[in-house]
Amino acid sequence: MTLSNVFNIIGVAILAYGALGSVYTFIISRSKASSGSIGDINTSRRFIVERIILSLDFFVGANIIRTVNELDFTDLGLLAGIVTIRIVLAYFLERELTERLPE
């Protein structure tokens, strides 16, 4: 198993933990909320967005390690595209974190 595969596995684990934790957080907040409230969905959103951003860092790290090992210009162009997409995703996810849904 290569180091890039380890980074990919860690990224998937963080992403799965974020999804499961977000669902758990939402269910707990929903059960504690009053009958007319939808619960604190903002806490669930923050939880999963933070984990998505962290997992994206691990995925980019895995791609960097793979590209350095292979040293192919096609892979280098693909890596540049992935990093660009990651930056755009992180920007919009961070923006999502700063916005709160109406209660």
Side-chain angles (χ1 to χ4, degrees):
M1 181 176 292
T2 64
L3 187 58
S4 66
N5 289 340
V6 172
F7 272 58
N8 278 326
I9 291 170
I10 292 170
V12 168
I14 291 170
L15 197 55
Y17 171 70
L20 294 174
S22 179
V23 170
Y24 175 77
T25 303
F26 178 73
I27 291 171
I28 294 298
S29 69
R30 177 83 168 127
S31 67
K32 292 180 182 178
S34 63
S35 60
S37 174
I38 64 164
D40 189 13
I41 194 168
N42 291 315
T43 304
S44 299
R45 288 172 61 206
R46 176 171 293 281
F47 189 87
I48 194 165
V49 166
E50 288 172 349
R51 272 67 185 180
I52 289 172
I53 292 171
L54 181 60
S55 67
L56 284 173
D57 289 336
F58 276 94
F59 293 142
V60 169
N63 285 324
I64 290 171
I65 291 169
R66 190 175 310 116
T67 301
V68 167
N69 287 337
E70 295 174 6
L71 293 176
D72 186 10
F73 285 112
T74 305
D75 290 334
L76 189 59
L78 181 62
L79 178 62
I82 290 171
V83 169
T84 303
I85 291 170
R86 188 258 180 243
I87 290 170
V88 170
L89 279 174
Y91 170 75
F92 284 109
L93 288 172
E94 288 289 337
R95 233 176 81 186
E96 177 82 15
L97 278 178
T98 59
E99 295 177 6
R100 293 184 58 88
L101 289 178
E103 306 263 340

